[in-house]
Amino acid sequence: MAASGGALWRRRVAALCRAARSVCGRAAGAERLAGRLRARRREEEEEKKKREVPGNPARRRARELAALQRVHPNVLARVLKQGAVYQDEEVVVLNKPYGLPVHGGPGITNCITDVLPILAKMLENMRAETLHLCHRLDKETTGVMVLARSKEAADRIRLLFKTRQVEKIYWAISVGHPDPAEGIVEIPVVEKEVQSHQPHYKMTLAPNYRLSPEDGKVLKTRKNRSAESAVTRYRILASSSACSLLELQPITGVKHQIRVHLAYGLGCPILGDHKYSHWNKLAPQKLPEITLRRLKLEQSKARHLPLHLHAHRLSLPLGASGGKWIDLVCEPPVFFHRTLRKLELDIDKN
């Protein structure tokens, strides 16, 4: 009886040991599984970080420049307030950031128009009337932008732009050197559809004259009814590294006229202007070897270069009688100055 009781006791102990080993095994297995899941999560987080902060500096800077489209409207209004360069009872003048559209549209999260009521309250008080647009700048263009505090002031300033009483001075970095170094481009501009594997629309030249292929004589062309008169004055401020810093004065205000006149009229597209560096295709801008070397950039990464076009100065008469003439100047953004330095485009030396 005693022996039988001892055998039963040993069997119970053995069963308990097996159960304990089973529990320990399951615990160890669970720990290994948890370890693998933690490792996988770390890998996924690392991959996410790589996507969010790309290793390529040009791509990272491009992401940074487009960041304002993703911020809260209050944050955007605060950034615009910090960029105000002039204010009086009639106008507010901003240094427009890069990559920020003036108007909304498909795929656009933030635009200047949407935050004007918020900006007005930040600049004045909670009962302030919304600010009003007086003119527009392209999404990729930086620089002087005039807003009016009242609808009446906005209407007066818009009329000044329409009747060409506003003097506009732009700075641009071009790929190549315009010849001659100073001059006026007076060629009408028209929008046309580009027939390619990716059909799209672009502004292009609609010249009034052409050369005869037979004898080289100058022939007058039939006027395109859709074409608009476009006049741009230009001069070189500095040249280096197969690029030039240009001062540009658009006499007229046709859509993309500076970009079209430089690219198709003078053969010197603006640095970072991937739209107008080619006619029949949508492709990154092709850059000279010396330019790539100075920018420390590979041609395959050229698509990340921003457009180097800046509204530098604006002069216009203000007040109901137009007796107050103001001259507004905005410094180019940091990326523009960085490019000037890398390309050794020093205005003082020229």
Side-chain angles (χ1 to χ4, degrees):
M1 189 75 178
S4 176
L8 181 61
W9 181 82
R10 283 195 297 273
R11 283 198 297 272
R12 286 178 177 174
V13 170
L16 287 172
C17 289
R18 284 196 299 273
R21 283 196 298 270
S22 177
V23 169
C24 291
R26 283 198 297 271
E31 183 60 35
R32 285 195 298 272
L33 179 60
R36 285 198 296 270
L37 290 173
R38 284 194 294 270
R40 186 180 298 174
R41 186 173 179 180
R42 281 195 298 270
E43 289 173 5
E44 288 173 354
E45 287 176 353
E46 287 298 320
E47 284 297 317
K48 187 177 178 182
K49 286 179 183 177
K50 287 177 184 177
R51 288 194 299 270
E52 290 178 348
V53 186
N56 178 263
R59 187 179 177 190
R60 183 167 61 248
R61 284 193 291 272
R63 289 279 186 91
E64 290 167 358
L65 289 172
L68 286 178
Q69 287 194 56
R70 300 188 295 271
V71 300
H72 189 277
N74 287 353
V75 175
L76 176 57
R78 199 172 299 117
V79 170
L80 294 177
K81 179 187 175 185
Q82 290 168 354
V85 296
Y86 176 84
Q87 295 183 59
D88 63 17
E89 67 283 352
E90 193 173 6
V91 297
V92 173
V93 181
L94 307 177
N95 190 348
K96 178 189 168 296
Y98 178 88
L100 186 62
V102 173
H103 298 286
I108 292 175
T109 307
N110 274 338
C111 67
I112 291 176
T113 307
D114 289 347
V115 299
L116 289 182
I118 305 171
L119 179 60
K121 290 176 173 58
M122 286 184 176
L123 289 168
E124 200 168 336
N125 57 56
M126 292 305 290
R127 289 177 292 181
E129 181 187 346
T130 185
L131 295 164
H132 303 267
L133 289 171
C134 299
H135 62 116
R136 67 183 296 278
L137 291 175
D138 290 340
K139 173 183 168 182
E140 297 87 0
T141 304
T142 59
V144 185
M145 178 159 225
V146 181
L147 305 172
R149 291 189 185 271
S150 68
K151 188 178 182 303
E152 294 72 26
D155 290 339
R156 282 199 304 272
I157 295 168
R158 286 177 196 138
L159 185 60
L160 293 175
F161 276 93
K162 188 175 180 179
T163 54
R164 301 176 188 173
Q165 296 182 61
V166 179
E167 183 178 304
K168 300 167 284 185
I169 299 295
Y170 286 72
W171 278 7
I173 299 176
S174 69
V175 180
H177 314 303
D179 186 17
E182 184 174 350
I184 296 175
V185 181
E186 187 175 358
I187 308 174
V189 171
V190 68
E191 188 170 39
K192 285 187 177 179
E193 184 178 7
V194 180
Q195 299 292 341
S196 69
H197 68 287
Q198 290 178 287
H200 57 284
Y201 285 88
K202 281 184 185 176
M203 304 301 288
T204 189
L205 301 176
N208 293 322
Y209 299 90
R210 64 180 179 86
L211 290 176
S212 170
E214 289 82 20
D215 53 16
K217 287 184 178 179
V218 177
L219 303 175
K220 189 169 178 63
T221 59
R222 182 182 296 176
K223 188 175 180 180
N224 188 320
R225 291 184 180 179
S226 302
E228 296 183 71
S229 174
V231 183
T232 307
R233 180 179 291 150
Y234 74 92
R235 71 185 180 102
I236 296 178
L237 298 178
S239 292
S240 178
S241 312
C243 291
S244 299
L245 173 63
L246 306 179
E247 180 184 83
L248 302 141
Q249 182 182 359
I251 308 302
T252 52
V254 182
K255 177 183 175 182
H256 294 177
Q257 80 169 59
I258 290 177
R259 297 164 69 178
V260 172
H261 276 171
L262 286 179
Y264 301 150
L266 294 169
C268 299
I270 297 173
L271 182 67
D273 194 349
H274 310 291
K275 184 182 181 79
Y276 289 106
S277 290
H278 313 277
W279 167 249
N280 60 350
K281 60 181 177 179
L282 294 169
Q285 187 175 51
K286 179 74 174 173
L287 297 176
E289 198 61 43
I290 187 172
T291 306
L292 291 170
R293 193 162 59 247
R294 290 277 172 84
L295 293 175
K296 296 181 179 177
L297 187 69
E298 298 173 16
Q299 178 57 52
S300 61
K301 307 295 187 233
R303 66 185 182 277
H304 301 304
L305 270 178
L307 181 74
H308 286 69
L309 178 61
H310 175 71
H312 181 58
R313 184 164 64 85
L314 211 62
S315 301
L316 71 161
L318 290 181
S321 61
K324 179 183 176 183
W325 192 274
I326 62 168
D327 196 40
L328 306 159
V329 177
C330 282
E331 273 295 301
V334 173
F335 77 85
F336 199 106
H337 276 295
R338 187 188 295 121
T339 301
L340 288 177
R341 189 172 61 253
K342 287 182 177 180
L343 295 178
E344 300 179 0
L345 290 168
D346 191 338
I347 306 172
D348 298 331
K349 290 181 181 179
N350 292 269

